[in-house]
Amino acid sequence: MPRQSQSLPLVAIVGRPNVGKSTLFNRLIGRRQSIVDSEAGLTRDRLYGQTDWRGRTFAVVDTAGLDRQARGELVENTQQGTAVALEEADAIIFVVDVRAGLTALDTEVGDMLRRRRRPMVLAANKAESQKDEGYLHELFELGLGEPTPISALHGTGVGDLLDQVIEVLPPADELLDDTTDADTLSVSILGRPNVGKSSLLNKILGDERSLVATIPGTTRDPVDTELDVDGRRVRLVDTAGIRRKGVTKGGVEHYSVLRGLRALERSDVALIVVDATEGILAQDQHIAGYAVEGGKGVVLVVNKWDLLPQEERDDKAWRRKVDNAFKFIPGVPVVYASALTGRRVTDVIPAAVRVAENRRRRIPTPELNRVVQKAMEDNPPPTRKGKQLKVLYATQGKERTPTIVLFVNDPDLAHFSYRRYLENQVREKYDFAGVPLRVLMRKRVEER
């Protein structure tokens, strides 16, 4: 049977500065973090998250405040960042400060959003008191329907707002992609701007003469490409929209990863491309972190290897850098490549295939129990308040991301470091290189 994969619908939170967009974003994704950031949009949690309401899961993006004073013109500011999110959005939450009333900038933003022709809901934020509606009546002048009073800070009214959001989202069946067979491997190419993603994609397509097909993707305007690699069908999930030509700074770079994340949702394995001449940067780690959080396999492609001085082309030294920077992906495969010269480009897809095989690896339950028990015998868990962790049973869950479920006497006795120790013991026995491995603790009453 064809495998059905679903791309999450995307909801963009938009408005002028200081109306509470980030507070609403934090409320929706269920995490709280600082709203002060000198480089807004680079922080993972600020940019993109997921939430669900009444059984419907969707993605949320926190956009920069629209302010024509910031760069001289409202349109320029929009094109420098928020436009990227708006182009991808399936629906928009337009946030206005009900206590400040309708401003000229609110009206401008409303007119701009209306031209986008996206489903929209109007959130009248900072309505902390039901007795004082502020300037709610003024918001009707926007002509965007009835505003919903909310307090993103306290959570009041947010449920009513989400009810409206899921009503305007595309039906779930419109987002299903049933063209991918179960044996087809989906691979996305991700990375910061200017690291050579497009060049790598073009070189892969140019070197692989067995082009199978071009398949419409589930995001706007992309075309996915299918290849036959040694008898294995591989789909390269389109990521061409990550960066616009001619734009090398400003808001677009801050949101450049957004389209890559949309492609990542439809992938099994992510190729994270880094620039060898710049080294491994924090945003490279952030992007790889998205893949791990999504349970995807990862291959690291160190591009522009040919531009390094000869004395810096030390595979072992780079391996140490990688292991230190990507501790959250133990043993991630690395390909030192040059999209310009073609160096080792042919190694990239085979590396992705091996990672995909690791991701599908299943450990027989008896074997897994023996590995876990031996690990605990070799290094018993420390006692805590006179008690010691006991693993009564181990099994592998059915999730696509390899998940080890340990039934224990008390999950609270398992320190993070001991969980990591058990994970490493399983990794040492079985090849999960490039694949996130989750270890979950479940309480089980010990049989007497």
Side-chain angles (χ1 to χ4, degrees), residues 9-201:
L10 178 66
V11 177
I13 303 175
V14 183
R16 62 179 176 82
N18 300 319
V19 294
K21 298 183 301 299
S22 293
T23 304
L24 178 60
F25 174 79
N26 294 343
R27 171 72 58 180
L28 295 185
I29 68 171
R31 292 195 298 272
R32 193 178 170 192
Q33 61 271 325
S34 171
I35 62 172
V36 178
D37 189 345
S38 61
E39 293 186 275
L42 287 178
T43 307
R44 286 167 31 195
D45 292 340
R46 282 289 312 278
L47 173 68
Y48 186 88
Q50 292 182 11
T51 188
D52 61 84
W53 184 252
R54 299 189 185 278
R56 189 75 192 273
T57 302
F58 55 93
V60 186
V61 59
D62 179 20
T63 67
L66 297 175
D67 184 357
R68 62 180 178 275
Q69 300 299 324
R71 294 183 182 270
E73 293 182 13
L74 174 64
V75 173
E76 179 185 354
N77 190 314
T78 301
Q79 291 177 344
Q80 289 295 316
T82 304
V84 177
L86 292 177
E87 288 177 7
E88 296 296 313
D90 296 292
I92 296 169
I93 298 176
F94 179 20
V95 183
V96 180
D97 183 345
V98 72
R99 293 186 302 184
L102 187 63
T103 68
L105 185 53
D106 289 326
T107 301
E108 280 190 66
V109 174
D111 290 342
M112 182 270 294
L113 293 178
R114 189 181 291 106
R115 291 193 295 272
R116 292 282 173 173
R117 299 183 182 277
R118 298 282 192 273
M120 191 185 320
V121 295
L122 180 60
N125 193 30
K126 303 187 182 181
E128 271 74 38
S129 172
Q130 295 181 348
K131 296 180 180 180
D132 181 9
E133 293 187 342
Y135 295 93
L136 186 67
H137 60 282
E138 292 185 358
L139 304 186
F140 285 90
E141 297 179 21
L142 289 168
L144 298 174
E146 183 175 355
T148 301
I150 70 166
S151 170
L153 183 62
H154 299 107
T156 55
V158 173
D160 294 335
L161 181 71
L162 289 174
D163 285 341
Q164 296 182 50
V165 169
I166 60 176
E167 284 183 7
V168 301
L169 287 178
D173 55 2
E174 290 185 10
L175 298 167
L176 290 176
D177 172 19
D178 60 2
T179 60
T180 304
D181 294 330
D183 292 333
T184 300
L185 169 62
S186 294
V187 178
S188 57
I189 303 176
L190 308 180
R192 296 179 292 107
N194 298 317
V195 295
K197 298 182 300 296
S198 297
S199 298
L200 179 64
L201 174 63

Side-chain angles (χ1 to χ4, degrees), residues 185 187-190 197 200-201 203-205 207-208 227 229 234 236 269-273 298-303 333-339 342-356:
L185 169 62
V187 178
S188 57
I189 303 176
L190 308 180
K197 298 182 300 296
L200 179 64
L201 174 63
K203 180 61 69 171
I204 290 173
L205 296 180
D207 288 347
E208 295 291 347
L227 308 171
V229 181
V234 177
L236 292 174
V269 176
L271 304 178
I272 309 298
V273 184
V298 175
V299 174
L300 190 67
V301 181
V302 181
N303 191 30
V334 184
V335 178
Y336 305 100
S338 169
R343 181 188 193 273
R344 295 193 62 185
V345 169
T346 55
D347 294 343
V348 171
I349 296 301
V353 171
R354 289 193 296 273
V355 168

Side-chain angles (χ1 to χ4, degrees), residues 112-380:
M112 182 270 294
L113 293 178
R114 189 181 291 106
R115 291 193 295 272
R116 292 282 173 173
R117 299 183 182 277
R118 298 282 192 273
M120 191 185 320
V121 295
L122 180 60
N125 193 30
K126 303 187 182 181
E128 271 74 38
S129 172
Q130 295 181 348
K131 296 180 180 180
D132 181 9
E133 293 187 342
Y135 295 93
L136 186 67
H137 60 282
E138 292 185 358
L139 304 186
F140 285 90
E141 297 179 21
L142 289 168
L144 298 174
E146 183 175 355
T148 301
I150 70 166
S151 170
L153 183 62
H154 299 107
T156 55
V158 173
D160 294 335
L161 181 71
L162 289 174
D163 285 341
Q164 296 182 50
V165 169
I166 60 176
E167 284 183 7
V168 301
L169 287 178
D173 55 2
E174 290 185 10
L175 298 167
L176 290 176
D177 172 19
D178 60 2
T179 60
T180 304
D181 294 330
D183 292 333
T184 300
L185 169 62
S186 294
V187 178
S188 57
I189 303 176
L190 308 180
R192 296 179 292 107
N194 298 317
V195 295
K197 298 182 300 296
S198 297
S199 298
L200 179 64
L201 174 63
N202 293 337
K203 180 61 69 171
I204 290 173
L205 296 180
D207 288 347
E208 295 291 347
R209 301 303 176 185
S210 53
L211 185 64
V212 175
T214 55
I215 310 294
T218 58
T219 54
R220 304 182 195 282
D221 301 323
V223 175
D224 296 345
T225 306
E226 284 195 358
L227 308 171
D228 185 288
V229 181
D230 297 329
R232 178 72 179 271
R233 290 178 72 90
V234 177
R235 172 178 290 190
L236 292 174
V237 179
D238 180 85
T239 58
I242 287 181
R243 176 180 178 274
R244 290 180 172 182
K245 285 187 177 181
V247 181
T248 58
K249 61 182 179 179
V252 168
E253 288 204 7
H254 296 239
Y255 289 92
S256 63
V257 72
L258 175 60
R259 284 178 171 169
L261 293 175
R262 302 287 279 160
L264 179 63
E265 291 172 2
R266 301 186 285 123
S267 305
D268 301 304
V269 176
L271 304 178
I272 309 298
V273 184
V274 303
D275 186 333
T277 64
E278 295 182 353
I280 299 171
L281 304 183
Q283 196 173 355
D284 298 324
Q285 296 170 295
H286 290 339
I287 294 170
Y290 280 121
V292 172
E293 289 174 3
K296 313 298 183 181
V298 175
V299 174
L300 190 67
V301 181
V302 181
N303 191 30
K304 304 185 184 180
W305 191 255
D306 57 306
L307 299 182
L308 283 179
Q310 191 65 42
E311 62 272 15
E312 296 182 19
R313 301 183 194 181
D314 185 338
D315 289 11
K316 292 183 179 179
W318 269 90
R319 182 74 245 186
R320 288 193 294 270
K321 291 181 184 178
V322 169
D323 290 342
N324 183 60
F326 297 96
K327 293 179 180 178
F328 52 93
I329 326 174
V332 59
V334 184
V335 178
Y336 305 100
S338 169
L340 180 64
T341 66
R343 181 188 193 273
R344 295 193 62 185
V345 169
T346 55
D347 294 343
V348 171
I349 296 301
V353 171
R354 289 193 296 273
V355 168
E357 292 172 351
N358 292 345
R359 189 167 178 256
R360 295 181 179 182
R361 191 176 308 284
R362 301 288 304 177
I363 307 174
T365 299
E367 288 187 22
L368 179 59
N369 277 275
R370 283 194 292 270
V371 171
V372 172
Q373 290 302 325
K374 185 177 187 307
M376 297 190 71
E377 290 172 3
D378 293 343
N379 181 20

